[in-house]
Amino acid sequence: MMDITRFIVSQRDKALLVGDHGSYRKQLSRRLLVVRKKLNCSSKGRKYTPKSPITAEDIASNHEYVHLLLLTAERAWALAMYMKSTHATESNTQGTTGSTKRHIVSKLHRASSYAAHLVNLLQDTEKSGASIESVLEARAYQQSLQGAIKFEKKAWEQCLQSYSETRLLYIALARSVGTKQDDVFKDLLAGTIDQSMRYAAYQVKLPRTISIEMIVARYVQRADNRYVAEALKSNPDLLLEPGAAAKKDVQGESADTPKTITWRSRTVKLEDATTAQALASVFAAECKLASFLEANQDVDRRAKAAAFDDVLIPSQDAVDAVKTAIDELTAEGVTQGDPRMQSLQITRTAVNYNLVEWRVGRNRVLCGEQDGATFESQSVKQPKKPRADGKPRVAQEESTGRKLTRLKEIVVLYDSTLQSLDSVKGFPGVAADQTFVNEIEAKKAYFSSLRCLAIARSHKLHGNKPNALALLARAADLSSRTMSSSPPTEFATEGIPKLEINPAQAKSLNDLLERSVLQYRALVELEDLKSETSKNNASRSAPMIERLDEYPPEGVDLTNLVTYPPKLQLIPVKPIFLDTAWNYIDYPGRPKKGTATDMDGKAEETSSRAESKKEAKKGWFGFGR
């Protein structure tokens, strides 16, 4: 398989991540030069030298010829998109017109011709060695360029026909590669093709309630189309009839499309087809998750949390679909008071809250049993290799460092949960519902108490019992607030963990915190008594003569008045006394001053100096001659 779609998407993502279509075109030109030199088909400075045509045998010998055609087509497409984006920024209400429009269509037609040439070469699978999937990928790419041409020409019916075939082929390819590798096709569909089809459907006056699948079933060309027939051969349920009751998503799973959605006490209709399809995918993923958890109750908690991702992804898609629908109505000039806008705002709150519920449920599974209220030491994994001396290995207790690491991870999960609950208050219509806000605050108090409990355990491991007691008291206060604020009907008794709190679990947490507060209060009290006793013992060990500045409340110990026999000890004196006595204290190694020997030496030295002075005086007034 030549991975044509993956090659194109990777080239676009790398360039457009740091630049625009102009820089993408320059990058493609440099890449083309490298590929041509590698294939020995460069013109070597002669621009208009005719090049030998690429044949199917060339593709069979080297797949770089496929990349050569794809890069040439992409360069033309990049130039067309660059001109379109450049003129879109200009203040022109009519859009791109005149010669610029013709130039854009010409470049798109050039790109489509290169893609069509590639399809013709790959059709001969015996000579080119291409697989059916590669042929369908090339055809889907060529039809996407044809749809772009019709989009620029405003031929909306033909645009829908080309894009419908493109979407059909990409969905068939996504199913063939499996769910782990279909991200490329899904991103390509959601990024360009679906939006263009929605705009074209709006131009042909199709109602918004018609889904993309219905549009594809209506506009795809089935007669004399070998590519569509090949796609339907392995996936006969790709095309839906307008009266079908069930649908198939990208992975091929059926789900009933909901017609309404309920939030609190209000039920609204789902007028946007994309939103309804996204919610159907969410419901199907929820059923799959419920069956997985029921069948794998003994599986590791990390594996359970990984299963939540299959629900979180379609839930996020539903949120994006509702936001896109609201943006489209806003662009059309629909006011906030319009019933359609009001219904979408309620739907937006419902799907966002559902996403928050699944995020919190995943965090609760990762926290462990009873949302992390129970924290037990884990067994250290023993090496399989036996000891050299043949003795059995002794089970080791989990180290304090690993326990602290686990507690930090749990605190991070609680922080994420609290942040998600804070975001609920910003949803449309939530601030006006005081009862619902009180329920959110009660749930926040529950998870805040668990967070304080985890931090208190980390202080316990560090040996800081007073801080642990303060945190446990705070956690007990929050837990009691949860018990008093949450109505009994709000709690759930069983099912997938989400935002609902089991009343037995909340009561168990409250009892645990109350017991822990009493226990640590006693431990802190004992620690204080022990420190006070040790301090008193230390003070009693000194004799009474050294504690004359203290009043003995228990009385004077007559057996400990002084230290007897006395011990040699240092006595502090004033520094000024040492400075003054320096000249009068005879220190070892210092010569003695004022002795007779010193005096005789000084006298002899003085007499010798006097005689030399007398001999030097000659002549009158002491001047020498």
Side-chain angles (χ1 to χ4, degrees), residues 396-424:
Q396 298 179 358
E397 187 180 356
E398 186 180 12
S399 62
T400 304
R402 294 191 61 180
K403 290 181 181 179
L404 290 173
T405 302
R406 289 171 51 204
L407 288 172
K408 288 179 182 178
E409 294 175 354
I410 293 175
V411 170
V412 169
L413 293 173
Y414 291 145
D415 289 337
S416 176
T417 299
L418 294 174
Q419 185 178 2
S420 299
L421 290 174
D422 285 332
S423 66
V424 173

Side-chain angles (χ1 to χ4, degrees), residues 242-289:
K247 77 176 193 70
K248 298 281 183 179
D249 58 4
V250 176
Q251 287 80 16
E253 298 169 356
S254 61
D256 295 331
T257 304
K259 303 299 181 183
T260 60
I261 188 171
T262 303
W263 167 248
R264 307 286 287 173
S265 59
R266 300 192 61 179
T267 302
V268 295
K269 293 183 178 180
L270 294 174
E271 300 180 356
D272 186 69
T274 305
T275 303
Q277 294 168 13
L279 288 175
S281 300
V282 173
F283 297 154
E286 290 178 0
C287 296
K288 183 189 293 186
L289 176 62

Side-chain angles (χ1 to χ4, degrees), residues 254-458:
S254 61
D256 295 331
T257 304
K259 303 299 181 183
T260 60
I261 188 171
T262 303
W263 167 248
R264 307 286 287 173
S265 59
R266 300 192 61 179
T267 302
V268 295
K269 293 183 178 180
L270 294 174
E271 300 180 356
D272 186 69
T274 305
T275 303
Q277 294 168 13
L279 288 175
S281 300
V282 173
F283 297 154
E286 290 178 0
C287 296
K288 183 189 293 186
L289 176 62
S291 60
F292 172 80
L293 294 179
E294 185 178 357
N296 302 274
Q297 296 182 0
D298 298 333
V299 77
D300 183 59
R301 57 190 177 92
R302 297 188 182 274
K304 292 181 181 180
F308 276 73
D309 294 339
D310 296 335
V311 181
L312 289 172
I313 293 174
S315 298
Q316 184 63 53
D317 294 340
V319 172
D320 297 338
V322 176
K323 185 179 182 301
T324 302
I326 293 176
D327 293 341
E328 291 176 357
L329 288 181
T330 305
E332 294 174 6
V334 179
T335 61
Q336 294 292 330
D338 190 271
R340 293 176 296 171
M341 185 66 77
Q342 291 290 323
S343 299
L344 282 176
Q345 292 291 355
I346 295 174
T347 306
R348 183 180 183 181
T349 302
V351 296
N352 275 283
Y353 186 73
N354 185 60
L355 177 61
V356 169
E357 282 186 320
W358 287 112
R359 285 176 179 171
V360 173
R362 180 179 181 273
N363 292 342
R364 294 177 70 178
V365 170
L366 285 173
C367 287
E369 295 293 334
Q370 296 185 6
D371 299 332
T374 59
F375 185 78
E376 299 178 356
S377 298
Q378 294 182 350
S379 59
V380 179
K381 188 176 180 180
Q382 299 291 339
K384 297 181 179 180
K385 185 178 179 180
R387 293 179 55 174
D389 55 2
K391 296 180 180 180
R393 295 185 180 273
V394 181
Q396 298 179 358
E397 187 180 356
E398 186 180 12
S399 62
T400 304
R402 294 191 61 180
K403 290 181 181 179
L404 290 173
T405 302
R406 289 171 51 204
L407 288 172
K408 288 179 182 178
E409 294 175 354
I410 293 175
V411 170
V412 169
L413 293 173
Y414 291 145
D415 289 337
S416 176
T417 299
L418 294 174
Q419 185 178 2
S420 299
L421 290 174
D422 285 332
S423 66
V424 173
K425 298 180 182 179
F427 295 163
V430 171
D433 192 348
Q434 190 59 40
T435 304
F436 183 65
V437 171
N438 293 337
E439 295 176 4
I440 296 297
E441 291 294 334
K443 294 171 183 177
K444 280 185 61 180
Y446 173 76
F447 290 105
S448 297
S449 64
L450 287 170
R451 181 178 181 272
C452 291
L453 175 60
I455 299 176
R457 284 170 173 159
S458 65

Side-chain angles (χ1 to χ4, degrees), residues 31-324:
R31 182 68 186 276
L32 272 172
L33 182 61
V34 173
V35 174
R36 284 170 179 166
K37 286 183 179 180
K38 187 184 298 185
L39 298 174
N40 296 323
C41 58
S42 60
S43 57
K44 296 183 180 180
R46 297 184 297 274
K47 184 175 181 181
Y48 298 104
T49 302
K51 303 176 180 63
S52 58
I54 301 175
T55 62
E57 290 78 5
D58 295 333
I59 294 177
S61 61
N62 194 343
H63 288 174
E64 289 291 335
Y65 286 100
V66 176
H67 295 169
L68 180 62
L69 292 173
L70 290 175
L71 291 172
T72 309
E74 277 291 287
R75 184 173 64 171
W77 175 84
L79 179 57
M81 294 298 103
Y82 175 69
M83 291 188 295
K84 183 178 179 180
S85 61
T86 302
H87 289 80
T89 57
E90 300 177 356
S91 57
N92 187 3
T93 57
Q94 297 180 355
T96 307
T97 57
S99 60
T100 304
K101 179 67 110 178
R102 291 192 296 272
H103 196 184
I104 292 174
V105 174
S106 174
K107 291 300 177 182
L108 289 174
H109 181 72
R110 177 185 290 271
S112 178
S113 64
Y114 282 110
H117 182 47
L118 176 62
V119 173
N120 293 331
L121 293 177
L122 296 179
Q123 282 179 355
D124 192 354
T125 56
E126 295 182 357
K127 294 182 178 180
S128 63
S131 61
I132 298 298
E133 289 79 6
S134 300
V135 177
L136 294 181
E137 283 189 75
R139 174 66 177 182
Y141 176 61
Q142 188 258 339
Q143 284 298 308
S144 66
L145 295 175
Q146 280 291 327
I149 294 173
K150 303 304 179 183
F151 190 92
E152 295 298 329
K153 290 183 176 181
K154 298 183 179 180
W156 306 118
E157 295 281 347
Q158 299 174 6
C159 175
L160 286 174
Q161 292 175 3
S162 298
Y163 276 133
S164 296
E165 183 177 348
T166 302
R167 194 178 196 281
L168 181 71
L169 295 178
Y170 276 140
I171 291 178
L173 290 168
R175 292 188 183 181
S176 64
V177 299
T179 57
K180 295 183 178 180
Q181 301 178 1
D182 63 350
D183 293 340
V184 175
F185 302 101
K186 292 168 66 177
D187 294 341
L188 191 60
L189 291 175
T192 304
I193 298 173
D194 286 355
Q195 296 180 6
S196 301
M197 290 185 67
R198 274 296 175 193
Y199 187 80
Y202 171 76
Q203 294 294 333
V204 297
K205 309 299 181 183
L206 289 179
R208 292 174 56 85
T209 54
I210 296 180
S211 63
I212 294 290
E213 283 75 13
M214 297 297 180
I215 297 175
V216 171
R218 179 181 298 184
Y219 284 95
V220 70
Q221 299 296 317
R222 310 183 198 180
D224 300 331
N225 194 330
R226 52 178 297 188
Y227 307 103
V228 174
E230 188 65 34
L232 293 176
K233 185 184 299 184
S234 56
N235 300 280
D237 55 349
L238 277 178
L239 293 180
L240 291 177
E241 299 298 334
K247 77 176 193 70
K248 298 281 183 179
D249 58 4
V250 176
Q251 287 80 16
E253 298 169 356
S254 61
D256 295 331
T257 304
K259 303 299 181 183
T260 60
I261 188 171
T262 303
W263 167 248
R264 307 286 287 173
S265 59
R266 300 192 61 179
T267 302
V268 295
K269 293 183 178 180
L270 294 174
E271 300 180 356
D272 186 69
T274 305
T275 303
Q277 294 168 13
L279 288 175
S281 300
V282 173
F283 297 154
E286 290 178 0
C287 296
K288 183 189 293 186
L289 176 62
S291 60
F292 172 80
L293 294 179
E294 185 178 357
N296 302 274
Q297 296 182 0
D298 298 333
V299 77
D300 183 59
R301 57 190 177 92
R302 297 188 182 274
K304 292 181 181 180
F308 276 73
D309 294 339
D310 296 335
V311 181
L312 289 172
I313 293 174
S315 298
Q316 184 63 53
D317 294 340
V319 172
D320 297 338
V322 176
K323 185 179 182 301
T324 302

